[in-house]
Amino acid sequence: MENNTWLQKWDERYTNEEFVYGTDPNLYLQTQLKQLKPGSILFPADGEGRNSVYAALQGWESSAFDISTEGQKKALHLAEQHRISIDYQVGELSTLGYQEEQFDTIALIYAHFPAEIKSSIHRMLDVYLRKGGFIIFEAFSKNHLDYIARNPNVGGPKDIESLFSIDEIKADFPGYDIVELAETEIELKEGLFHNGTGSVIRFMGRKQ
């Protein structure tokens, strides 16, 4: 169960008038979606909707969820501005009623769930992805703490348990052909909270 402090953090962040991570989609997501035929896609922890809206604009049937109603409001407003629709639900994953093998692709873009539930969320999401479907994943690595120490503006969780390693991703998504799995240093320029050099794990996997 995600606690109220966690929910309060995101509601407060998303009440900001500006889009705190910008309205442009994540670059890794853009690159990977260009290689896939549009179908149904799910964005866990989608926040203000920049990525789910982008996917819808590219012809995907775009679904998203988050625990923050403030994030949902901004995402639906962004979708309306672009004259497209997304299915955006608010709540915890286990309560949202997604179906087994419902999605062709699941995109986890900085979906940093609390450390104690992040692996169970990944395992749950696997059930909703069809065989032959793809996971697209980008999030901060465990080495990212060094980057935060040098530049707090780069953002990201400040506890190592909430960050990721290659071994964790392999353990969380065992039944996948790995298209790409790497830890890499990147330059982020995403809104107010992702700015500067960071260390991320990138994963593209095809479900066996």
Side-chain angles (χ1 to χ4, degrees), residues 147 150 183-187 197-200:
Y147 292 80
R150 291 197 292 272
E183 182 174 336
T184 187
E185 185 178 277
I186 65 168
E187 288 298 318
T197 308
S199 175
V200 300

Side-chain angles (χ1 to χ4, degrees), residues 72-194:
Q72 181 199 42
K73 283 180 199 170
K74 288 170 89 170
L76 294 177
H77 180 62
L78 185 63
E80 192 180 326
Q81 285 181 316
H82 285 285
R83 298 182 179 177
I84 52 94
S85 64
I86 57 173
D87 173 49
Y88 191 122
Q89 297 192 55
V90 173
E92 294 182 26
L93 177 56
S94 58
T95 70
L96 298 180
Y98 296 123
Q99 303 300 307
E100 286 188 25
E101 301 199 358
Q102 179 176 342
F103 297 101
D104 299 310
T105 298
I106 295 177
L108 290 144
I109 306 298
Y110 296 97
H112 284 278
F113 293 97
E116 64 274 12
I117 63 167
K118 64 179 187 176
S119 289
S120 62
I121 294 279
H122 288 168
R123 287 191 289 273
M124 209 183 301
L125 288 169
D126 172 72
V127 173
Y128 303 137
L129 184 66
R130 69 168 174 81
K131 288 188 174 76
F134 290 90
I135 292 281
I136 302 170
F137 177 100
E138 180 175 280
F140 292 115
S141 81
K142 292 192 183 296
N143 289 319
H144 184 66
L145 288 179
D146 294 337
Y147 292 80
I148 296 175
R150 291 197 292 272
N151 171 24
N153 291 330
V154 73
K158 296 177 177 65
D159 61 303
I160 199 160
E161 292 82 12
S162 295
L163 300 167
F164 294 96
S165 68
I166 285 174
D167 287 343
E168 275 184 353
I169 296 303
K170 283 180 178 174
D172 285 358
F173 298 103
Y176 285 73
D177 295 321
I178 295 171
V179 180
E180 177 180 6
L181 178 55
E183 182 174 336
T184 187
E185 185 178 277
I186 65 168
E187 288 298 318
L188 282 161
K189 193 176 180 187
E190 298 185 330
L192 304 175
F193 285 97
H194 278 176

Side-chain angles (χ1 to χ4, degrees), residues 32-53:
Q32 300 309 318
L33 284 189
K34 282 174 185 167
Q35 302 177 52
L36 302 178
K37 181 183 172 187
S40 56
I41 189 168
L42 176 64
F43 290 88
D46 192 48
E48 300 166 313
R50 64 192 175 107
N51 294 313
S52 57
V53 167

